[in-house]
Amino acid sequence: MIDVEVTTTIERPVGQVFAFVQDENNIPKWDPDLLKVAKTSQGPIGKGSTFHLDIKPFMGETQGSGEVVAYEPDRRIELQFVMGKLKPHVFHLFEPAGSGTRFTRRVVMQPSGFMRLMTPLMRSMMRKKNVQYLATLKRLLEA
């Protein structure tokens, strides 16, 4: 089991951080493993919204899909992704922190088959990458 959680404080109001993170056009700006994210459902972002993903993780380019499984404006976005045999569950939590936002990204995933052998390496890589993603997000929003 992989369970990686990373938190940062961004000196911007919760509403601003939430709006930036939920916009699929912004995701490749702070998560470079997602080359392109395209919304495939109608209406505003919310529970049930679906996405097509072009991904370039550590093992080459692939495609996948995602769905918003929980959505609370300015508080939480929970996503379920399917990328081949990997099915990461991603939590984005937004909390007021003074005049800024405490942003937490948690990724939970159970590798199967051969990938299970790579769990320790994948866990380490995911932690490192998520630290980088949040540092980039912080830099973009505070600029």
Side-chain angles (χ1 to χ4, degrees):
M1 168 75 82
I2 295 172
D3 190 342
V4 172
E5 182 173 301
V6 180
T7 300
T8 191
T9 299
I10 300 170
E11 293 303 322
R12 290 289 181 261
V14 170
Q16 186 179 350
V17 176
F18 187 89
F20 188 87
V21 170
Q22 79 157 359
D23 184 341
E24 71 272 13
N25 297 310
N26 291 330
I27 297 169
K29 295 175 185 175
W30 60 276
D31 181 345
D33 286 346
L34 290 172
L35 302 173
K36 183 178 177 188
V37 180
K39 190 166 174 275
T40 55
S41 58
Q42 298 296 313
I45 301 275
K47 185 175 180 182
S49 294
T50 56
F51 302 89
H52 173 81
L53 314 166
D54 289 332
I55 311 156
K56 187 175 182 357
F58 58 94
M59 292 176 26
E61 289 188 33
T62 188
Q63 296 183 341
S65 63
E67 180 178 355
V68 177
V69 295
Y71 184 89
E72 296 174 55
D74 295 343
R75 297 195 61 215
R76 173 173 74 126
I77 303 170
E78 193 173 324
L79 304 129
Q80 180 64 58
F81 293 105
V82 177
M83 299 180 284
K85 293 185 179 189
L86 299 177
K87 295 176 176 59
H89 198 96
V90 179
F91 303 81
H92 291 156
L93 304 173
F94 306 80
E95 303 170 279
S99 62
T101 303
R102 179 180 162 91
F103 177 67
T104 300
R105 177 179 165 100
R106 180 177 177 214
V107 181
V108 178
M109 181 171 54
Q110 179 64 57
S112 61
F114 172 73
M115 297 296 276
R116 184 175 289 152
L117 298 173
M118 297 176 59
T119 296
L121 175 62
M122 290 171 64
R123 184 182 300 115
S124 175
M125 286 178 62
M126 285 178 65
R127 176 166 303 286
K128 182 178 178 182
K129 284 182 171 261
N130 279 281
V131 166
Q132 292 170 347
Y133 300 160
L134 268 60
T136 300
L137 180 64
K138 178 179 175 71
R139 188 179 71 251
L140 285 170
L141 286 169
E142 292 181 351

